[in-house]
Amino acid sequence: MKKTFYLTTPIFYPNAKLHLGHAYTMTLADALARSHRLREENVYFLAGSDENTQKMVDAAAKAGTEPIAFLDGIVQNFMKLYSSLNISYDQFIRTTDTRVHWPGAQALWEKIVAAGDLYKKEYRGLYCVGHEAFITEKELVDGKCLDHGTVPEELSEENYFFRLSKYAGALRQKIESDELRIVPQSRKNEILSFIDSGLEDVSFSRPRRANWPKGLGVPVPGDDSQIMYVWCDALANYITALGFGRDDALFQEFWPANVHVIGKDILRFHAAIWPAMLLSAELPLPESIFVHGFITSGGRKMSKTLGNIIDPEELIETYGAEAIRYFLLRHISPFEDGEITREGFKDAYTANLTNGLGNLVARVMKLAETHLPKPVERPKAEHFPQEYWDALNGYEINRAVDMVWSRIQRLDERITNEEPFTLVKKDAERGRALIGELVIELYWVGRLLNPFMPNTSATIKKAVLENKKPENLFPRL
Ligand code: MSP
């Protein structure tokens, strides 16, 4: 039986088009998914959208459209971006999907009820629509949420509360011992100190308002006056997508997840609330959570609210998807914030793709096409260096890509030092043998690139096996 590998991504809010920050999460996840397929594992890669929110209601109203139709349009847009970026997801879940998502979200709720972990309470608080969460006075500056620059709504309502506090000890133990592995260490420390600062129970439902659109919001089982709090319903997507509470086959096969890929802004939801929900429902915890940093622009988090976004479609049009993937995976450290500028992007494209990889492929394959009578023999066994897998297992994706570029550099150096074009004229046999070696080395470069630049990888493989120089890979701009 093949080893299974289940990885998930945050389900984004479809209130606007995705920007490069979202594309970053998806590209990291895609590289991991492809690297596990390369190991011949049975991979399940989940994507989706988080739709039962106040943000959606507001955005649809502003656009003057009926909410579900509004969402359909944006979700189409997500999928279009994923297809142009070559994101190889297996399923796209939408939390307004009453058939796929709602039964499982309700089944999970009922298990948490059965554990005695949901209780009703009058609640007063400040609700930030940007966060889709209650925030405290302490988090306000001039009465406004610091992240969103908006005044929170004062709410006083009857809600169901989840006993998060009860799970502090268990969470601490699972995270500390790496039974639930949080990567990188700095995020593990962050969540441990958050737990140590004292976990409070969280509001898990909201009264259904009179003007709230139909079809949005999972009804609380047995209490039609309430809908689930959006994070409670959203987190459940990781199991409802596999058929939890509906048809268990995929769930049995793939749960627990091997990794939840998330940005650092949603760490608490994933590393405290979600595992506590699973513990309450007596379900296995995910193996790991990979927490990446932010893409910044002008030194600040790229975000629509701040108005500093770069549209990934625009970059794809200029440079092609493979170049975007290359840049995001190699030039941004996965665990830290990384600044993106159009100039930085252009420089990296010219230096490492046009003059680097693209030029190398053209040179080696031109030599091969001219001097080798037939294609080189394809290596029988696949051989990937252990350190490449080690880097990927630690989610150090940029390090894995760097390894490919060191090989590219070595190959360039060999060509400069050993001058195959001169040698083949002086001594045809030795010249051909050298060219054959260079072609095989290029083949490995192509194979190693597979998770990061799948099309380039396929083009190199095809060129080598057909002994034919391909079209220019990264045209000069
Ligand atoms: N809907 C929730 C997630 C629910 S998961 C059960 C949500 N959605 S979101 O649309 O706001 O997306 C947040 C995620 O988008 C971040 O965790 C991160 O993956 C990605 N990013 C958004 N802006 C980003 C940057 N500027 N840089 C990197 N990633 C960013 O939260």
Side-chain angles (χ1 to χ4, degrees):
M1 263 257 289
K2 276 190 178 181
K3 184 179 176 306
T4 58
F5 191 85
Y6 178 37
L7 85 164
T8 71
T9 48
I11 49 172
F12 302 120
Y13 296 123
N15 56 335
K17 278 175 72 174
L18 298 179
H19 58 66
L20 202 60
H22 305 109
Y24 181 56
T25 307
M26 295 310 288
T27 308
L28 287 172
D30 188 65
L32 287 180
R34 289 178 188 272
S35 79
H36 283 270
R37 289 195 200 102
L38 200 58
R39 286 177 241 194
E40 304 199 337
E41 292 174 11
N42 185 10
V43 173
Y44 203 80
F45 175 6
L46 182 67
S49 55
D50 187 357
E51 308 189 351
N52 300 307
T53 71
Q54 184 66 47
K55 274 189 221 287
M56 290 327 121
V57 179
D58 296 348
K62 203 168 156 203
T65 345
E66 187 271 319
I68 299 287
F70 174 79
L71 292 169
D72 289 347
I74 301 207
V75 165
Q76 284 307 316
N77 228 295
F78 281 19
M79 291 179 170
K80 202 174 133 243
L81 174 65
Y82 295 172
S83 126
S84 34
L85 259 183
N86 234 324
I87 305 296
S88 59
Y89 61 94
D90 294 288
Q91 183 185 346
F92 190 100
I93 185 167
R94 299 182 56 177
T95 58
T96 46
D97 192 326
T98 52
R99 189 188 63 81
V100 170
H101 180 63
W102 291 22
Q106 291 177 327
L108 178 62
W109 179 281
E110 279 171 338
K111 278 187 174 269
I112 299 176
V113 170
D117 289 337
L118 284 164
Y119 60 94
K120 230 173 177 179
K121 180 174 112 175
E122 167 78 24
Y123 189 72
R124 271 168 196 287
L126 298 169
Y127 194 81
C128 170
V129 173
H131 274 105
E132 293 290 0
F134 285 100
I135 60 176
T136 60
E137 294 274 358
K138 277 186 291 186
E139 293 168 275
L140 303 181
V141 174
D142 296 333
K144 289 179 181 167
C145 162
L146 196 57
D147 290 345
H148 298 95
T150 48
V151 179
E153 281 178 66
E154 235 183 296
L155 292 181
S156 165
E157 23 174 75
E158 174 100 312
N159 289 349
Y160 286 95
F161 270 72
F162 172 56
R163 283 188 213 283
L164 179 62
S165 55
K166 174 175 156 188
Y167 292 96
L171 286 173
R172 179 166 229 304
Q173 186 271 325
K174 305 264 179 204
I175 293 173
E176 173 87 76
S177 67
D178 284 340
E179 195 178 323
L180 168 55
R181 188 165 68 103
I182 315 278
V183 182
Q185 179 73 33
S186 55
R187 298 292 162 214
K188 175 177 169 180
N189 297 343
E190 176 185 330
I191 197 70
L192 286 173
S193 58
F194 175 66
I195 294 171
D196 290 344
S197 73
L199 293 183
E200 284 176 27
D201 293 351
V202 278
S203 158
F204 248 31
S205 74
R206 302 188 63 190
R208 184 192 291 280
R209 296 189 187 169
N211 62 352
W212 186 266
K214 273 207 172 56
L216 227 60
V218 186
V220 164
D223 187 346
D224 256 359
S225 72
Q226 299 264 331
I227 54 173
M228 286 181 200
Y229 168 49
V230 57
W231 273 99
C232 160
D233 125 46
L235 289 162
N237 93 88
Y238 300 135
I239 59 174
T240 64
L242 297 179
F244 178 78
R246 161 170 62 86
D247 166 3
D248 258 13
L250 281 178
F251 181 73
Q252 293 303 339
E253 190 176 357
F254 287 101
W255 190 257
N258 298 81
V259 58
H260 292 312
V261 179
I262 60 166
K264 66 179 185 182
D265 52 335
I266 54 177
L267 175 66
R268 291 178 187 184
F269 296 101
H270 284 79
I273 299 180
W274 175 232
M277 289 166 73
L278 291 167
L279 286 172
S280 168
E282 296 184 337
L283 294 170
L285 298 192
E287 218 170 75
S288 74
I289 303 178
F290 163 26
V291 192
H292 68 72
F294 286 153
I295 301 271
T296 61
S297 168
R300 302 187 67 188
K301 176 189 179 192
M302 184 176 289
S303 90
K304 191 165 176 254
T305 334
L306 295 174
N308 58 351
I309 59 172
I310 295 183
D311 179 358
E313 300 278 7
E314 174 211 314
L315 284 184
I316 293 173
E317 224 159 84
T318 316
Y319 297 96
E322 296 278 297
I324 314 300
R325 294 177 60 108
Y326 162 78
F327 190 86
L328 294 176
L329 296 174
R330 181 163 185 232
H331 290 264
I332 312 264
S333 153
F335 307 132
E336 277 145 48
D337 291 354
E339 176 79 7
I340 288 204
T341 61
R342 289 187 169 79
E343 302 75 71
F345 202 95
K346 190 170 176 199
D347 292 346
Y349 177 86
T350 307
N352 303 322
L353 296 179
T354 307
N355 298 340
L357 179 60
N359 186 39
L360 175 74
V361 173
R363 281 213 286 174
V364 172
M365 289 319 300
K366 178 76 195 154
L367 280 169
E369 192 183 278
T370 318
H371 300 289
L372 299 187
K374 61 178 177 29
V376 293
E377 211 168 299
R378 174 202 202 132
K380 292 215 168 43
E382 290 275 75
H383 176 74
F384 297 97
Q386 187 54 42
E387 55 171 4
Y388 174 80
W389 296 134
D390 291 344
L392 287 166
N393 288 340
Y395 311 132
E396 294 173 88
I397 297 172
N398 57 340
R399 197 158 73 83
V401 190
D402 277 343
M403 288 175 199
V404 190
W405 255 264
S406 330
R407 290 172 87 132
I408 292 173
Q409 197 189 341
R410 255 185 283 144
L411 202 43
D412 270 332
E413 282 164 8
R414 270 194 85 178
I415 297 175
T416 311
N417 297 337
E418 301 177 38
E419 299 187 342
F421 30 86
T422 331
L423 182 63
V424 78
K425 281 179 201 139
K426 283 198 272 189
D427 180 341
E429 200 176 329
R430 278 181 55 217
R432 278 198 214 115
L434 171 60
I435 293 168
E437 281 174 33
L438 299 175
V439 174
I440 293 290
E441 189 44 32
L442 183 66
Y443 172 84
W444 286 117
V445 164
R447 295 299 292 148
L448 289 165
L449 275 177
N450 171 286
F452 320 119
M453 302 171 77
N455 288 346
T456 308
S457 168
T459 305
I460 294 176
K461 186 170 176 179
K462 185 160 179 274
V464 168
L465 299 180
E466 291 177 357
N467 200 37
K468 203 166 167 341
K469 176 175 166 295
E471 295 261 321
N472 202 349
L473 282 173
F474 304 102
R476 207 163 283 285
L477 292 169

